Each structure stands twice: as structure tokens, then as C-alpha cells.
Amino acid sequence: MAEDRFPGWHGTTILAVRRGGEVVVAGDGQVSLGQTVIKGTARKVRRLSPGGFDVVAGFAGSTADAFTLLERLEAKLEATPGQLARASVELAKDWRTDKYLQKLEAMLIVSDGKDIFVITGAGDVLEPEHGVAAIGSGGNFALAAARALMDSDRDAEDIARAAMAIAADICVYTNGNLTVEKIGG
């Protein structure tokens, strides 16, 4: 986020784990301003059902910006039902080229239960190599923990919950109030 407009705002860890034919997207509930926790129960993971096809999305960054992007993603999915990759690329193209959207400060993780994509304002639509993706202040901690746990016999939800607990123990901008959505399987 732009430090000049929102100095000291930090928030969120979003993690997606694919295993055993299902994807779990987990997000913590913390929003911080400097050294102060503003809210500990924010809900940053949502289920969308445009065109009758379920998609789970998690966001990091400005909430209003993220909701704008989620609305745009829903519109893209309604235009291309069941085609998450195509809708994600179309959203990223718009985000990169539209002067209004370029100012939005958020990132998304989206999944339809088969694919996981990280969508950024730089025009990126990234698919993780190891079935794990993470964004936000504690994203790297959650990503490292989840990648290590992928060698265990745990299911996707157990991996996501354990990795988020590790991230919450390390990152001061991440808490243990989780929103967890499963898709696929």
C-alpha cells in the first residue's frame, strides 16, 4: 500500500493450499495501523458464485480496492463461466491498462478448486508451482510453513491452519482469527 496515503497501515495474510483434489483458502482477521490493531476479526476470504460456478477469493491490501476488484472479477467470470484462468487474465489486463484501476492497491488469490492464481496490479496472473500461494504482510511466513508441511500426510485444511498459526506466531501483522473456505474435492 502507498505509505504516503496510508502510513503505517498493514494487514493480512492470505494462504491457498491445493492437495487431494481440493483447495483451501485461509485468511487472518487482523488489520493494523502502526503498532495498533484496528480490527482483529476482518473477513478477507470470500466465496463467489458467478454463473453458477464457485470461486473462492482472498485479498490483501485496501478493502475498498479489493471489493472493486472482486466485483470486476465476478463480471469477468459471468462473461466467461467456468473459465477462471481467462477471467483472471482479463482482469489483470484491465487492471494494468485502466487508469482508474491502476490506482487500486490490493492483491488477490483466487481458486476454482482446480487452479490457484495470484492476481496483481502489475498485470501478473501467477500460478504457484507447488500448490501453495500466499500474499500479504505474513504471506512469506505462511508460504514457507505450508511448503514445509506439504511433505506431511496432512490434508489441505490442516496444512493451511498450521501454516497460518506459524505465520501468526512470527508476523505481528497476522493473527489467529481465521476465515477458511474449501473448494473442490
Side-chain angles (χ1 to χ4, degrees), residues 64-134:
D65 291 355
F67 281 125
T68 298
L69 293 169
L70 290 174
E71 287 173 7
R72 297 279 181 129
L73 178 62
E74 279 187 298
K76 299 293 183 191
L77 286 165
E78 286 173 0
T80 59
Q83 298 181 51
L84 180 60
R86 184 173 175 191
S88 297
V89 168
E90 291 299 318
L91 174 64
K93 284 173 28 182
D94 288 354
W95 194 353
R96 178 84 173 139
T97 59
D98 183 282
K99 291 201 184 295
Y100 167 73
L101 294 178
Q102 285 176 358
K103 296 179 191 298
L104 299 183
E105 297 171 352
M107 292 179 74
L108 301 176
I109 289 182
V110 297
S111 179
D112 59 1
K114 296 181 312 186
D115 297 313
I116 301 170
F117 298 110
V118 176
I119 308 170
T120 74
D124 300 314
V125 178
L126 307 169
E127 185 172 13
E129 290 181 335
H130 303 284
V132 179

Side-chain angles (χ1 to χ4, degrees), residues 8-176:
W9 279 99
H10 291 279
T12 228
T13 301
I14 303 295
L15 173 68
V17 177
R18 179 180 47 233
R19 177 162 237 183
E22 77 176 1
V23 175
V24 172
V25 180
D28 78 315
Q30 184 166 313
V31 178
S32 304
L33 175 57
Q35 298 176 350
T36 305
V37 175
I38 301 297
K39 185 172 183 172
T41 58
R43 190 169 173 266
K44 304 168 207 166
V45 176
R46 307 259 188 235
R47 184 173 294 270
L48 313 171
S49 296
F53 292 91
D54 282 343
V55 171
V56 173
F59 63 86
S62 167
T63 304
D65 291 355
F67 281 125
T68 298
L69 293 169
L70 290 174
E71 287 173 7
R72 297 279 181 129
L73 178 62
E74 279 187 298
K76 299 293 183 191
L77 286 165
E78 286 173 0
T80 59
Q83 298 181 51
L84 180 60
R86 184 173 175 191
S88 297
V89 168
E90 291 299 318
L91 174 64
K93 284 173 28 182
D94 288 354
W95 194 353
R96 178 84 173 139
T97 59
D98 183 282
K99 291 201 184 295
Y100 167 73
L101 294 178
Q102 285 176 358
K103 296 179 191 298
L104 299 183
E105 297 171 352
M107 292 179 74
L108 301 176
I109 289 182
V110 297
S111 179
D112 59 1
K114 296 181 312 186
D115 297 313
I116 301 170
F117 298 110
V118 176
I119 308 170
T120 74
D124 300 314
V125 178
L126 307 169
E127 185 172 13
E129 290 181 335
H130 303 284
V132 179
I135 58 174
S137 300
N140 287 336
F141 302 116
L143 178 67
R147 294 258 322 260
L149 291 166
M150 291 296 279
D151 288 335
S152 71
D153 61 350
R154 297 177 179 211
D155 66 14
E157 183 172 357
D158 286 344
I159 291 171
R161 287 184 181 278
M164 290 295 287
I166 290 167
D169 284 346
I170 297 169
C171 179
V172 297
Y173 302 113
T174 303
N175 70 15

